[in-house]
Amino acid sequence: MNSFVKKQLHLIFNKRWTVLKEIGYILFLLILISLSNLYYLSLIINGFQVNALSFLYTLLLTSAIGIFPITGMVLIRYNKTLKNNLSQIIQEGRSGETMEHNSPITFENANKTEPDFTIEINNFLFLEAIKNHVHIYYLVDGLVKTTSIRNTLTNIVDQVENDAVFQCHRSFLINLNQIKTAKGNSNGYKIHLKNYEQTIPVSRKYVPEFQKIIY
């Protein structure tokens, strides 16, 4: 993916999620709970002194007990934000770019008696490798077509040089410009492409690289 798209994705995503924002949120919760605990202790314990030292003690005790549920809450908020906004992030970040970069890509056929397959990037959806054949899915007048060539995914990855083509699985290459929605987390994603009903997996191995598109 080109630097312009990465920059736009980075800016859009950081509007919705920042580390500093979450740190501030956690600190606010801890202080609020600590103050509540301090007030409660002052009511039930005779002679309990409310001062800086007792507040610090209460804060440390609250942190030790509350850090796990608070961390879980933050992770849930993170995953929810990621799932809800990933589609918009990808689409907005790539807005206006697709039509400007409609260059043709060629998938070489290892069987030299048969021709290579060339298609404009905007019409390419994805390809799936099954044994020694690659099945290419693409659009013709809005309809999904498929063709097969003899090759391996490893060879295809080495041959294709286009920022929009991304390997998301040991058997799949996708066109990032064709992503409609994507939902998941660090264990994997499910991608829906435009004009195609079935989901395409992003396996755990490729999640870190996929998330670089987001961050």
Side-chain angles (χ1 to χ4, degrees):
M1 179 171 290
N2 57 54
S3 59
F4 174 82
V5 174
K6 285 184 177 180
K7 181 178 179 181
Q8 294 301 313
L9 296 176
H10 176 78
L11 291 174
I12 294 169
F13 188 78
N14 281 339
K15 289 180 182 178
R16 295 166 170 81
W17 183 272
T18 64
V19 174
L20 290 178
K21 179 180 177 180
E22 290 307 313
I23 290 176
Y25 176 72
I26 293 172
L27 290 176
F28 172 76
L29 285 180
L30 289 175
I31 292 173
L32 184 63
I33 295 172
S34 297
L35 289 173
S36 300
N37 289 338
L38 192 63
Y39 176 73
Y40 178 73
L41 289 174
S42 69
L43 293 178
I44 65 173
I45 300 177
N46 293 328
F48 184 82
Q49 297 294 321
V50 178
N51 51 40
L53 185 60
S54 62
F55 172 72
L56 180 60
Y57 173 79
T58 307
L59 180 61
L60 291 175
L61 184 61
T62 302
S63 300
I65 297 174
I67 190 66
F68 296 106
I70 290 177
T71 300
M73 184 186 304
V74 170
L75 290 175
I76 292 173
R77 280 162 50 85
Y78 172 82
N79 286 323
K80 184 177 180 180
T81 300
L82 190 59
K83 290 178 181 179
N84 291 341
N85 294 313
L86 182 55
S87 176
Q88 181 181 355
I89 290 166
I90 292 172
Q91 291 176 5
E92 290 183 10
R94 210 174 284 118
S95 177
E97 290 295 298
T98 302
M99 296 305 297
E100 296 178 9
H101 295 84
N102 193 18
S103 57
I105 54 174
T106 298
F107 301 103
E108 295 184 9
N109 198 330
N111 186 347
K112 297 306 179 181
T113 63
E114 298 180 0
D116 298 335
F117 183 77
T118 300
I119 189 172
E120 291 182 345
I121 185 62
N122 284 352
N123 293 324
F124 170 62
L125 288 175
F126 72 96
L127 64 77
E128 180 181 9
I130 301 177
K131 295 184 178 180
N132 292 325
H133 284 82
V134 171
H135 304 279
I136 304 168
Y137 292 77
Y138 59 99
L139 295 173
V140 176
D141 296 328
L143 299 177
V144 178
K145 304 290 184 179
T146 183
T147 189
S148 298
I149 60 174
R150 184 174 179 82
N151 213 326
T152 63
L153 190 62
T154 301
N155 289 338
I156 293 293
V157 171
D158 291 339
Q159 294 165 4
V160 175
E161 296 182 0
N162 192 297
D163 292 333
V165 179
F166 174 73
Q167 182 175 5
C168 61
H169 187 275
R170 65 180 181 179
S171 300
F172 289 91
L173 286 183
I174 61 169
N175 182 353
L176 293 171
N177 289 331
Q178 293 289 350
I179 293 179
K180 182 179 180 181
T181 62
K183 295 182 180 181
N185 51 42
S186 59
N187 292 319
Y189 287 84
K190 294 293 184 181
I191 294 175
H192 278 92
L193 300 178
K194 303 171 186 176
N195 302 298
Y196 191 74
E197 294 182 358
Q198 298 182 22
T199 59
I200 306 297
V202 179
S203 62
R204 188 171 183 174
K205 176 181 177 180
Y206 298 97
V207 164
E209 187 65 26
F210 185 67
Q211 288 182 330
K212 287 181 182 179
I213 299 171
I214 304 168
Y215 297 137

